[in-house]
C-alpha cells in the first residue's frame, strides 16, 4: 500500500470510528510487564467530556520507571479504590461502546491483566476497540523498513506533527485524562483532513 493510499484509508477509518461515537480511553500502570496493573484510568467522550478519571490501588508496587513517566507514586494510590471496585463503573460506561486508545494493545492488555490478578474474567471485544496510534502511523506515513510497517509515533510527537494546541487540556502529558483527550484530538485531526 502506498503512503498516499494508506493516508487516505486512515482518514476514512478515522471518520468511520467517529461515527460510532466512541469513548477515548487511557491508562497509567505499575509498569509494562505482563503482570502490570492499572493505577489510573480515564474515559473521555466524543465531545471531549470527561466521563471517568480515577486512580486505582494496585496489588503491587509501582515501578520506578513507570513513576518517572506518569509521576504517580504508591502513596498517591494507597487509599484509592481497587480495580474490582472501579470495574462496575467502567463496565457500565463501556457497555456497547466503541473504545479508542492510543496503543490499544497495551491498554486492553492492562484491563485483562488487572482483572486476572483479581480472579475476574474480562473479555475485550476486538471489533469495538480501535488503536489511534496505528491509525495515525498510517496517516503520517513514515515507513519502518525493519518492522515492515508504518513507524509508530508517540502521542506527544503526533500532537506536535499535527499542530494540535493542548494548552487547554487539564492535567499533564502521561496523565490518563490528558492522554485520552489528546488521543481524541489526534483522531479528530485525521478525520478532518481532505481526501484526495
Amino acid at each position: 500500500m502506498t503512503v498516499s493510499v494508506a493516508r487516505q484509508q486512515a482518514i476514512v477509518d478515522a471518520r468511520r470510528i467517529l461515527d460510532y461515537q466512541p469513548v477515548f480511553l487511557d491508562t497509567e500502570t505499575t509498569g509494562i510487564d505482563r503482570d502490570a496493573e492499572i493505577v489510573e484510568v480515564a474515559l473521555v467522550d466524543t465531545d471531549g467530556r470527561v466521563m471517568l478519571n480515577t486512580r486505582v490501588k494496585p496489588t503491587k508496587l509501582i515501578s520506578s520507571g513507570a513513576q518517572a513517566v506518569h509521576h504517580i507514586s504508591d502513596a498517591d494510590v494507597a487509599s484509592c479504590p481497587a480495580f474490582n471496585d472501579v470495574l462496575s463503573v467502567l463496565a457500565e460506561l463501556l457497555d456497547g461502546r466503541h473504545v479508542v486508545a492510543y496503543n490499544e494493545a497495551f491498554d486492553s492488555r492492562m484491563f485483562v491483566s488487572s482483572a486476572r490478578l483479581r480472579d475476574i474474567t474480562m473479555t475485550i471485544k476486538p471489533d469495538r476497540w480501535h488503536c489511534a496510534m496505528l491509525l495515525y502511523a498510517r496517516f503520517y506515513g513514515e515507513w519502518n523498513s525493519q518492522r515492515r510497517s508504518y513507524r509508530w509515533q508517540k502521542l506527544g510527537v503526533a500532537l506536535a506533527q499535527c499542530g494540535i494546541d493542548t494548552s487547554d487540556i487539564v492535567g499533564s502529558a502521561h496523565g490518563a485524562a490528558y492522554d485520552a483527550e489528546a488521543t481524541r484530538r489526534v483522531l479528530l485531526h485525521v478525520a478532518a483532513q481532505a481526501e484526495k
Side-chain angles (χ1 to χ4, degrees), residues 53-119:
N53 184 21
T54 186
R55 288 190 172 162
V56 179
K57 182 179 180 179
T59 62
K60 60 176 54 79
L61 298 176
I62 301 170
S63 73
S64 58
Q67 286 186 50
V69 173
H70 55 52
H71 307 292
I72 300 171
S73 70
D74 296 310
D76 293 332
V77 294
S79 60
C80 292
F83 181 75
N84 50 321
D85 296 326
V86 175
L87 190 56
S88 60
V89 175
L90 276 166
E92 185 177 319
L93 292 172
L94 296 176
D95 185 41
R97 303 290 296 268
H98 282 253
V99 179
V100 179
Y102 201 86
N103 187 349
E104 175 274 328
F106 178 79
D107 288 311
S108 60
R109 181 169 63 88
M110 289 301 101
F111 268 85
V112 171
S113 176
S114 294
R116 180 178 38 80
L117 291 167
R118 291 164 178 83
D119 294 322

Side-chain angles (χ1 to χ4, degrees), residues 11 20 50-51 68 80 91 95 114-115 117 125 129 137 142 147 150 155 169:
I11 294 168
Y20 294 129
V50 177
M51 302 167 65
C80 292
D95 185 41
S114 294
L117 291 167
K125 296 180 180 176
W129 283 63
E142 182 181 346
R147 291 181 183 255
Y150 291 101
L155 180 55
I169 301 178

